Amino acid sequence: MITQKDVKYIASLSRINLKEQEVGRLTKNLEAILHYIEKLKKVDVSQVQPTSHVFPLNNVFREDVVQPSLHQDKAIKISQNHHQGSFKVPKVIE
Amino acid sequence: MNLFEHPAHELLDLLKAQKTSAQAIFESVFSHLKQSDKNIKAFVRLSHQLPDFGPAVPSRNYPIPIALKDNICVEGQEVTCCSHILEGFKPPYDATVTQKLKKSGALILGNTNMDEFAFGSSTENSYYGPTRNPWDTACVPGGSSGGSAAAVAAHEAVWALGSDTGGSIRQPAAFCGVVGVKPTYGRVSRYGLIAFASSLDQIGPITKDVTDAALLLNIIAGYDERDSTSVNVPVPDYTKALINDAKGLKIGIPKEYFIEGMDPEVKQSILEAIDVLKKKGAAFKEISLPHTEYAVATYYIIATAEASSNLARYDGVQYGLRLQPQETRKSAIVDMYEETRDQGFGPEAKRRIMLGTYSLSSGYYDAYYLRGQKVRTLIKDDFDQAFKNCDAILTPTAPTTAFRIGEKANDPLSMYLSDIYTISANLAGVPAMSLPCGFSKNGLPIGLQIITQSFAEEMMFRIAYTYEQNTDWHKRKVGQK
């Protein structure tokens, strides 16, 4: 049902450089799990609304008031790669 | 009895009577921790700053030594979710629960072991290696909050916080013979809890008895505007719900839970627990939660989909690990993302990210994710229906006692099924707790689960307290027979 080619494609969507030796094992694992999940196909959901959240909370607003917040100097320090207040990344534009 | 063996409410009584001091409590627990944890390995890191007991420090209301699961932020203290990818990450702020604990005077000991990003039910999926069950060190402590549950069972902490997405507080509490509470979704702020599945995650107490669980929930519960999913309803004093009486209460036993796969010793303990509560006036009736069979499958769609999205942020740019491969495959930046994520995540994390990505991907979304959300509605409706006829639902917490380290490590699906009794409460958002209700003949603890309606934690505590006060499982200590 799920092929090694599918697994490589999902790995690339997930931004994981999956090594060749992992592909076979993961294909087998995912196949077993997806097979188990197939049982949901037996449930009639034609008249059912989806639940993304258990309480009917929507549009949670707050007053637009200026408050102290985390300072950039402090926030940027979570990265070991920062320069002049920005995150440093490998060259993007050739 | 040593100071470190007492539950917090007894320590608070001793403090009130001036028979001990905050410093004496801390030192007793901390020195025991350092000795005991060489064997148990519940902690992955101790706090870099130990509490100050100098004369200038204002007195603390709750000077109780507490362990935090390694996914709860303390400003400046490394936190990694026991993943290589977050190594070295020091959050620049406190979680809301951390702030509340600091304000209450609780003494934070350090971070406890967990399955990487809370992906697991045994604490074996940790970058730092497994934790051992204090009752039998060849067994797992459960998971994912296995370090927190083992720490409390081994008296290395008086209190602990865990997080529960599909049973990650309750199942390890059951395996380790302690009390674990998953509050109603939205009862405790998730601000500063590193996210796994945002619509399911809740922080909750792991303690030595029910009274302590009520005390600790009093401290951490409440609305927080920094978590827009926290719910703005008043927090009662949960200790007022500790009533030793079940007269007039109607408790449901879901027939779908008493099925093949349940260990006969677990079943026997639950039947005996029912008798204890009957003697205290509770009436029991069989109920039905017809979609129980679909809970695990639904969970593994929703939880992994949310996880794949939440974990997209670990790309080597901002947090922890960054790796650049030698050769160029795609482009320098994409290669960096992909190498960092391949090396930084363990096998279970990769499995879940990929499963989640698959079920959200084009062409599969309707068949998996959307269908999963619809079945979730049916599971939630089951609970709404059931609570029209009963005040609480009683079940085992897990189908078996603690399994052996390595036993399920190569079979992800069988590991997933160990959460079969706990997952539904997360999907429905309702509160649930586990408390000790016996031991197997091998000396391993068995857990009783009580589930109530959303924001009915007081009912849950009342039933748990009544059961506890009429049994003495909670008084049994590791090392005693």
Side-chain angles (χ1 to χ4, degrees), chain B residues 298-334:
Chain B
T298 303
Y299 174 83
Y300 278 92
I301 291 176
I302 290 171
T304 58
E306 293 186 16
S308 72
S309 161
N310 274 325
L311 271 61
R313 74 192 69 179
Y314 307 112
D315 57 5
V317 175
Q318 297 162 68
Y319 307 93
L321 189 73
R322 175 184 290 196
L323 295 169
Q324 190 75 47
Q326 293 293 322
E327 80 288 9
T328 306
R329 290 179 347 117
K330 294 177 178 169
S331 69
I333 191 156
V334 173

Side-chain angles (χ1 to χ4, degrees), chain B residues 229-275:
Chain B
T229 62
S230 72
V231 181
N232 200 353
V233 293
V235 181
D237 177 355
Y238 293 111
T239 62
K240 294 231 165 76
L242 302 174
I243 299 162
N244 179 4
D245 180 33
K247 210 167 292 148
L249 302 186
K250 280 183 285 186
I251 303 178
I253 304 291
K255 63 176 183 204
E256 292 82 2
Y257 282 50
F258 289 81
I259 41 143
E260 212 183 318
M262 188 193 295
D263 186 315
E265 287 182 301
V266 171
K267 187 173 177 183
Q268 189 54 35
S269 290
I270 301 303
L271 295 176
E272 287 167 14
I274 291 172
D275 281 341

Side-chain angles (χ1 to χ4, degrees), chain B residues 76 129 134 143 187 193 230 270 286 292 311 319 325 347 360 388 401 405 470:
Chain B
R187 180 71 294 184
L193 169 71
S230 72
I270 301 303
E286 186 181 272
T292 297
L311 271 61
Y319 307 93
L360 289 173
K388 285 181 182 163
T401 54
I405 292 173
N470 292 284

Side-chain angles (χ1 to χ4, degrees), chain A residues 1-2 6-19 22 25-26 29-30 32-34 36-46 48-55 57 60-62 67 70 74-81 87-92 94, chain B residues 75 89-90 92 184-185 199 225 228-229 231 291 293-294 296-298 301 317-320 322 324 329-330 332-334 336-339 341-343 347 350-351 353-355 357-358 361 368 370-371 373-378 380 412-413 416-417 427-429 454-455:
Chain A
M1 171 176 63
I2 188 167
D6 294 332
V7 168
K8 285 180 190 167
Y9 174 64
I10 305 163
S12 95
L13 288 179
S14 312
R15 293 277 194 235
I16 295 173
N17 179 22
L18 207 60
K19 304 295 186 289
E22 278 184 282
R25 186 179 47 83
L26 257 167
N29 288 162
L30 291 179
I33 298 164
L34 288 170
Y36 179 77
I37 288 172
E38 284 293 302
K39 67 159 72 180
L40 294 187
K41 297 213 165 127
K42 289 191 293 185
V43 189
D44 177 9
V45 292
S46 55
V48 183
Q49 291 297 312
T51 294
S52 53
H53 193 278
V54 284
F55 298 118
L57 286 174
V60 180
F61 293 124
R62 61 169 172 78
Q67 284 176 4
L70 196 60
K74 210 169 152 187
I76 201 91
K77 284 197 183 118
I78 63 170
S79 171
Q80 285 147 22
N81 299 279
F87 293 111
K88 234 169 96 176
V89 293
K91 198 171 168 186
V92 177
E94 297 301 328
Chain B
E75 184 180 341
F89 170 58
K90 289 182 180 162
T184 308
Y185 182 81
S199 81
E225 65 174 22
S228 62
T229 62
V231 181
H291 297 89
E293 182 193 348
Y294 304 109
V296 174
T298 303
I301 291 176
V317 175
Q318 297 162 68
Y319 307 93
R322 175 184 290 196
Q324 190 75 47
R329 290 179 347 117
K330 294 177 178 169
I333 191 156
V334 173
M336 186 273 280
Y337 297 150
E338 295 195 339
E339 190 65 14
R341 289 168 66 81
D342 184 54
Q343 303 291 318
K350 285 190 219 174
R351 214 151 31 222
I353 290 169
M354 291 185 48
L355 184 61
T357 304
Y358 179 74
S361 66
Y368 290 101
L370 190 61
R371 177 168 284 267
Q373 287 189 313
K374 288 179 177 175
V375 181
R376 183 178 185 181
T377 304
L378 296 173
K380 186 179 181 299
L413 195 56
Y416 295 177
L417 292 171
L427 291 170
S454 292
F455 299 102

Side-chain angles (χ1 to χ4, degrees), chain B residues 54-250:
Chain B
V57 179
S59 80
R60 298 168 166 97
N61 285 333
Y62 295 95
I64 303 301
I66 184 166
L68 302 184
K69 188 176 182 179
D70 195 29
N71 59 358
I72 295 172
C73 291
V74 178
E75 184 180 341
Q77 168 82 30
E78 187 183 3
V79 65
T80 67
C81 290
C82 293
S83 177
H84 185 33
I85 210 160
L86 267 174
E87 232 179 345
F89 170 58
K90 289 182 180 162
Y93 60 88
D94 279 336
T96 296
V97 292
T98 305
Q99 269 184 359
K100 285 176 178 247
L101 287 172
K102 284 181 174 174
K103 215 172 134 200
S104 77
L107 311 169
I108 297 172
L109 295 163
N111 309 94
T112 50
N113 204 11
M114 59 189 279
D115 289 293
E116 182 179 7
F117 284 103
F119 299 155
S121 312
S122 70
T123 315
E124 292 168 291
N125 299 327
S126 163
Y127 180 62
Y128 303 106
T131 292
R132 296 174 178 284
N133 190 312
W135 296 92
D136 179 349
T137 53
C139 289
V140 302
S144 67
S145 311
S148 285
V152 172
H155 303 293
E156 295 176 12
V158 179
W159 282 348
L161 288 185
S163 65
D164 191 313
T165 307
S168 279
I169 287 175
R170 290 162 285 155
Q171 184 257 26
F175 280 13
C176 291
V178 294
V179 174
V181 177
K182 182 203 91 73
T184 308
Y185 182 81
R187 180 71 294 184
V188 176
S189 170
R190 292 184 295 112
Y191 180 78
L193 169 71
I194 301 177
F196 158 11
S198 307
S199 81
L200 304 165
D201 296 343
Q202 264 297 282
I203 297 172
I206 296 177
T207 58
K208 296 182 190 192
D209 63 19
V210 177
T211 304
D212 270 18
L215 277 172
L216 183 49
L217 189 59
N218 273 353
I219 294 172
I220 63 170
Y223 172 69
D224 177 12
E225 65 174 22
R226 291 174 299 184
D227 171 4
S228 62
T229 62
S230 72
V231 181
N232 200 353
V233 293
V235 181
D237 177 355
Y238 293 111
T239 62
K240 294 231 165 76
L242 302 174
I243 299 162
N244 179 4
D245 180 33
K247 210 167 292 148
L249 302 186
K250 280 183 285 186

